[in-house]
Amino acid sequence: MIKVTKHGVILKKTDLSFENDSVLNPGIYQEGNTIHMLYRAVRNGNYSTIGYCKLDGPLTVVARDDTPLMIPYSEDASKGIEDPRIVKIDGVYYITYTAYNGINALGALATSTDLKTFERGGIIVPRITFDEFKRLAECNNLVNAKYFRHVRHFEVNEGIYLWDKDVLFFPRRIGGKLAFFHRIRPGIQLVMVNSLDELTKEYWDQYFLHLNEHIVMDPIGVNHESGYIGAGAPPIETELGWLIIYHGVYDTSEGYIYSTAAALLDINDPTKVIARLIDPLFVPEFDYELNGVVNNVVFPTGTALFDDSLYIYYGAADKCIACASVSLKELLQELLLNKVNHES
């Protein structure tokens, strides 16, 4: 059993107009002892922007902006920008987030060299209807049937697309290619391209025709992720492979419960899962995780490493930001006890 230390809430909402409802789901970038935290800031009425604060060490907030760092700039995000993740590749910060317009929730990108000015890349996932997706992906019967049980809350009209969230980049190129996760329920998928200019409609049509080749993980039958899973924090490069911290969801009579999980991917081929914890790394247990805007949520979105301690930053009950830590060595050892059999 891995020892998990929960450090409690480290960031709460304020009376400032842009974050007077909640703060949650932070993107984390570590520079030595400094942590840059880009977090989802929600104002009353469920409108999200991206706030910024700086930590000295893993837990101590030493500076916090009183205005948003990033705001929506297009109709794609007319109802807000949500759940940022951040990495740095070749000297450029890649900041991904979900653009929400009240109907569609789609992964988008901004880049920066200084975290002060930003170049907007816009939506980088496909704008595809559920029916189009189903038509393409069903051509291959190796795809989990859960992909075709999408619950549509709207009539299928022009401009209503399949939700594609939880976009996050690997912190370096793999085989010369940019690599990023995205999430179409119920699993986690991978894109690898030389340039983001390759992400055309033709590219996505071929991608979905061979969707099974791009699925990294689907939910397994155990309770904590029997419903669906989603990418969490950007992958961490270790001597054993890419460590990923992700979220799992299962349904109960009282609603969804979100937990935090871990897996290990091949360093050169991230579609190959080396190991995967059978049990969750941690689950909602304290009041700040059990009760909030959405109850029973621990939603990991960023990590930082101090010596052997891996700090995991997460949204707690969609209300505040909390942190937990584990020994990286112990976590990797536990993962090696849960290797995935690829022979079946």
Side-chain angles (χ1 to χ4, degrees):
M1 180 65 71
I2 305 168
K3 180 183 177 183
V4 177
T5 301
K6 289 192 174 177
H7 302 280
V9 176
I10 62 172
L11 205 71
K12 297 180 180 180
K13 68 178 182 178
T14 69
D15 292 330
L16 296 170
S17 60
F18 78 100
E19 57 180 14
N20 57 9
D21 180 84
S22 55
V23 296
L24 62 155
N25 303 355
I28 299 293
Y29 186 76
Q30 180 178 9
E31 288 183 323
N33 203 52
T34 298
I35 298 293
H36 300 281
M37 177 183 287
L38 283 63
Y39 60 90
R40 178 179 172 185
V42 187
R43 76 183 188 203
N44 291 337
N46 192 33
Y47 181 87
S48 298
T49 55
I50 305 301
Y52 172 84
C53 70
K54 183 164 64 175
L55 283 67
D56 182 25
L59 303 171
T60 304
V61 177
V62 294
R64 184 175 182 178
D65 289 355
D66 58 8
T67 57
L69 180 70
M70 295 174 57
I71 61 173
Y73 74 101
S74 69
E75 286 301 311
D76 291 321
S78 59
K79 297 298 183 180
I81 53 178
E82 306 175 352
D83 304 346
R85 275 81 156 187
I86 178 172
V87 299
K88 196 174 189 180
I89 306 171
D90 301 331
V92 176
Y93 295 102
Y94 283 67
I95 301 151
T96 49
Y97 57 90
T98 297
Y100 181 56
N101 68 358
I103 296 176
N104 300 312
L106 299 171
L109 172 69
T111 56
S112 177
T113 57
D114 56 10
L115 294 183
K116 295 178 182 177
T117 57
F118 302 91
E119 182 175 342
R120 311 286 183 152
I123 304 295
I124 62 171
V125 297
R127 302 173 194 261
I128 187 171
T129 68
F130 173 74
D131 286 345
E132 289 173 325
F133 165 79
K134 187 171 185 287
R135 175 177 59 82
L136 292 167
E138 271 188 333
C139 292
N140 191 321
N141 61 11
L142 298 176
V143 176
N144 188 328
K146 282 189 175 183
Y147 281 91
F148 311 124
R149 298 173 191 164
H150 183 262
V151 179
R152 284 173 285 177
H153 300 284
F154 306 95
E155 295 295 326
V156 178
N157 294 319
E158 184 178 354
I160 297 178
Y161 302 117
L162 185 70
W163 281 23
D164 196 339
K165 303 172 65 176
D166 295 338
V167 174
L168 55 92
F169 279 80
F170 282 66
R172 66 166 174 84
R173 288 177 178 266
I174 301 174
K177 295 187 175 184
L178 290 167
F180 66 86
F181 286 145
H182 64 124
R183 198 285 303 279
I184 295 172
R185 286 188 186 181
I188 299 171
Q189 302 86 40
L190 175 71
V191 169
M192 295 182 68
V193 290
N194 293 307
S195 166
L196 298 181
D197 293 337
E198 295 176 27
L199 300 178
T200 62
K201 183 182 184 304
E202 291 72 24
Y203 172 90
W204 288 115
D205 285 350
Q206 287 299 312
Y207 184 93
F208 289 126
L209 280 170
H210 305 278
L211 180 61
N212 63 301
E213 298 174 10
H214 306 291
I215 296 171
V216 177
M217 295 195 306
D218 278 336
I220 51 181
V222 296
N223 270 351
H224 74 280
E225 56 177 67
S226 57
Y228 59 92
I229 60 175
I236 303 158
E237 187 170 4
T238 77
E239 60 184 7
L240 299 178
W242 294 106
L243 171 63
I244 62 168
I245 305 296
Y246 65 99
H247 68 266
V249 184
Y250 74 101
D251 201 3
T252 73
S253 59
E254 297 180 357
Y256 287 127
I257 296 178
Y258 284 69
S259 61
T260 294
L264 194 64
L265 310 180
D266 185 87
I267 201 71
N268 297 313
D269 180 7
T271 61
K272 181 179 179 182
V273 182
I274 297 172
R276 184 173 181 178
L277 293 186
I278 296 174
D279 298 315
L281 191 56
F282 58 88
V283 300
E285 56 179 323
F286 295 107
D287 179 71
Y288 60 87
E289 301 165 328
L290 297 170
N291 300 292
V293 177
V294 180
N295 297 337
N296 300 307
V297 173
V298 291
F299 192 89
T301 47
T303 62
L305 188 62
F306 289 84
D307 297 323
D308 181 55
S309 294
L310 180 67
Y311 288 82
I312 301 168
Y313 301 84
Y314 61 96
D318 279 17
K319 189 71 174 179
C320 57
I321 294 170
C323 184
S325 65
V326 298
S327 162
L328 177 61
K329 181 179 179 181
E330 289 181 9
L331 177 55
L332 292 174
Q333 289 175 340
E334 185 73 16
L335 278 162
L336 291 181
L337 298 176
N338 292 272
K339 289 187 175 181
V340 174
N341 183 357
H342 293 279
E343 295 180 359
S344 58

